[in-house]
Amino acid sequence: MSQRGGIAPYLQAAPLALVFLLFLVIPLAIIVMVSFWTYTDYSIQPAFEVQNYLDVFDRCIVRLPTLCTTFRTYLSTLTFCAIVWALTLVIGFTVAYFLAFEVRSPTVQSLLFLVCTIPFWTSNVIRMISWIPLLGRSGLVNQALIGLGLIDQPIEWLLYSSFSVTITFVHLFTFFMVVPIYNSMLRIDRSLIEAARDAGASGWQILWNVIVPLSKTGIAIGSIFVITIVMGDFITIGLMGGQQIASVGKTIQTEISYLQFPVAAANAVVLLGTVLLIIVGLTRVVDIRREL
């Protein structure tokens, strides 16, 4: 019986472990392997060379303090990531706080939470394209501003710019911040808030000293979701940036389109390493496993 009891947890985890192995570990291992292969304009040859990684960071060190193309691309991607993370955190925390603490009825909470999921009933591409009639040169925003007499000429930077990419990112990914923060807030013991209020704490003091610390697990998980998606995105940047804005994901997509699979794999490995470093930094701040 003790042996069966010892084996049972492994048998229960085996299906998920098999899926994890087939669809994550093995593909990642193949990408790492291909990143060391050599290639020409006509063929790809198995090998073990670091030339692809040298090509990714070609002359980056010797050009310092001037940034090379790779460093500028990573800086652009990290800038988008930081801005989108900050905006989604503020909006997501506000929405989650309203649902968890301002809405008293569990039924209404569930209904409003369901409303938040409505945008996910349509394709991401459709949700991106929906901004074009709003932000375009002849779009609703420009026409409204001209009609109100606030501007004489359409604002050019509303679409196919960093602004349109950022606002689309926020639109697409805020819900990934709402869900884990909302889940963390639901687990907060309301008696702690009442005790803080009885002790004379103001609303802001309760928010900063009670709710935020107890929601840090949800904040960390939501941050991981948003950061990982934005760092690897190339569709949103390509479509809403008018193919004029550089990103790491766009670079990899371009290399793949030219059949430069080994250097694209090397770029992907470097991107994965960068994302993992960010995630490790977050987990150093918040011990997610202990808090869950």
Side-chain angles (χ1 to χ4, degrees), residues 206-237:
I206 294 174
L207 176 66
W208 187 251
N209 297 307
V210 179
I211 296 176
V212 170
L214 294 177
S215 302
K216 61 183 180 182
T217 302
I219 293 173
I221 295 173
S223 298
I224 291 173
F225 285 158
V226 171
I227 289 171
T228 53
I229 296 173
V230 173
M231 285 293 290
D233 182 274
F234 64 91
I235 298 176
T236 306
I237 289 182

Side-chain angles (χ1 to χ4, degrees), residues 6-229:
I7 297 175
Y10 295 98
L11 294 177
Q12 292 174 349
L16 184 58
L18 182 61
V19 171
F20 182 80
L21 177 67
L22 291 175
F23 296 102
L24 181 64
V25 176
I26 292 178
L28 283 177
I30 293 174
I31 291 174
V32 173
M33 179 179 65
V34 172
S35 70
F36 292 100
W37 289 7
T38 61
Y39 70 99
T40 65
D41 293 337
Y42 308 100
S43 65
I44 298 175
Q45 300 174 351
F48 188 82
E49 298 183 4
V50 297
Q51 186 59 46
N52 295 317
Y53 291 93
L54 296 178
D55 291 341
V56 170
F57 295 102
D58 181 33
R59 298 180 60 81
C60 285
I61 304 299
V62 298
R63 292 183 183 179
L64 292 175
T66 303
L67 296 180
C68 66
T69 302
T70 299
F71 285 172
R72 287 201 302 268
T73 303
Y74 268 90
L75 180 60
S76 173
T77 305
L78 289 170
T79 300
F80 275 120
C81 189
I83 295 173
V84 172
W85 170 79
L87 293 175
T88 54
L89 176 58
V90 172
I91 298 172
F93 189 92
T94 304
V95 172
Y97 179 88
F98 175 79
L99 292 176
F101 295 105
E102 298 299 327
V103 179
R104 303 297 181 182
S105 170
T107 302
V108 178
Q109 279 183 342
S110 301
L111 180 61
L112 291 177
F113 185 79
L114 182 62
V115 170
C116 292
T117 68
I118 289 178
F120 284 83
W121 298 358
T122 60
S123 167
N124 273 8
V125 176
I126 294 176
R127 292 157 65 194
M128 291 180 214
I129 295 175
S130 66
W131 285 100
I132 295 177
L134 291 174
L135 303 178
R137 180 180 176 83
S138 301
L140 182 61
V141 174
N142 271 320
Q143 293 301 314
L145 293 175
I146 292 174
L148 293 172
L150 299 178
I151 58 175
D152 298 324
Q153 299 293 330
I155 301 174
E156 301 287 347
W157 52 262
L158 289 180
L159 187 62
Y160 303 136
S161 63
S162 298
F163 173 80
S164 60
V165 171
T166 301
I167 198 171
T168 305
F169 272 143
V170 173
H171 172 213
L172 293 177
F173 304 137
T174 296
F175 190 68
F176 289 99
M177 191 71 79
V178 173
V179 174
I181 296 177
Y182 174 64
N183 181 61
S184 293
M185 288 182 175
L186 286 181
R187 299 168 58 187
I188 296 176
D189 189 349
R190 297 308 191 264
S191 63
L192 296 176
I193 298 175
E194 293 299 328
R197 187 175 289 112
D198 292 341
S202 65
W204 283 107
Q205 289 175 324
I206 294 174
L207 176 66
W208 187 251
N209 297 307
V210 179
I211 296 176
V212 170
L214 294 177
S215 302
K216 61 183 180 182
T217 302
I219 293 173
I221 295 173
S223 298
I224 291 173
F225 285 158
V226 171
I227 289 171
T228 53
I229 296 173

